[in-house]
Amino acid sequence: NAGVTQTPKFQVLKTGQSMTLQCAQDMNHEYMSWYRQDPGMGLRLIHYSVGAGITDQGEVPNGYNVSRSTTEDFPLRLLSAAPSQTSVYFCASSYSGGSEQFFGPGTRLTVL
Amino acid sequence: AQSVAQPEDQVNVAEGNPLTVKCTYSVSGNPYLFWYVQYPNRGLQFLLKYITGDNLVKGSYGFEAEFNKSQTSFHLKKPSALVSDSALYFCAVRDKGTYKYIFGTGTRLKVLA
């Protein structure tokens, strides 16, 4: 099992550009989520999904879109990048909402 | 509003001494509680969780945590710290009524040789 994979590992964007962060898991997990990690603020939930076709907003959803067309994939789209979105982004998955989450290696995004 | 507090940004402990990393939470109902560890430039790794049952939970790498409902706390403990335990530790809570996880701001543990 590859577990949770994220691409790219690093990305630099200019303000206003759009991009998609990819996340995939091969564990047949129903629950997937996206977090951003900023110094002194821990991890904050952006969006999450409890199954294919079902998504919901987390704590900091503005400026981000998600979709879940398959169980395996949960891409995060930045519509118009802003410097405030400079962060490290983690994708995670779990078998259910009550089980432990498996985290990907992260994507370090810089918006200039 | 749901919240998780880790009151210490950093905890220093000598190798071989017991360690405690504190976590308190505020959530409606009975929560699921978790501890994760993050090593430099890595994703988070699961350590242990409390769902129900025995208040003392044992997890990976010799760590354990005690759930205290009256104090709404879930402190992480280890009887004898190792230098390799040095990392960033996160407490997290999930309200059983929702699927949203709330993480604390993290506590950096430094074990001194």
Side-chain angles (χ1 to χ4, degrees), chain B residues 30-41:
Chain B
N30 296 315
Y32 295 147
L33 296 161
F34 301 84
W35 276 101
Y36 290 87
V37 60
Q38 184 181 34
Y39 297 100
N41 301 313

Side-chain angles (χ1 to χ4, degrees), chain A residues 15-90:
Chain A
T15 296
Q17 287 184 313
S18 62
M19 79 158 297
T20 299
L21 307 185
Q22 301 292 344
C23 174
Q25 52 90 10
D26 61 357
M27 298 172 282
N28 201 32
H29 285 170
E30 289 296 323
Y31 183 98
M32 295 186 74
S33 53
W34 276 102
Y35 297 89
R36 58 178 290 174
Q37 183 177 20
D38 302 293
M41 305 193 73
L43 273 75
R44 291 181 292 170
L45 181 65
I46 304 171
H47 286 285
Y48 67 98
S49 168
V50 299
I54 306 170
T55 64
D56 205 348
Q57 296 181 350
E59 183 183 356
V60 288
N62 293 341
Y64 308 94
N65 274 357
V66 292
S67 60
R68 184 97 180 269
S69 56
T70 67
T71 299
E72 296 78 19
D73 300 301
F74 191 44
L76 178 73
R77 283 182 287 277
L78 280 70
L79 308 174
S80 177
S84 61
Q85 293 178 305
T86 293
S87 187
V88 181
Y89 291 84
F90 289 101

Side-chain angles (χ1 to χ4, degrees), chain A residues 31 37 57 97-98 100-101, chain B residues 36 38 46 94 99-101:
Chain A
Y31 183 98
Q37 183 177 20
Q57 296 181 350
E100 61 268 27
Q101 294 185 80
Chain B
Y36 290 87
Q38 184 181 34
F46 169 75
R94 200 214 94 182
Y99 287 95
K100 294 183 180 180
Y101 286 84

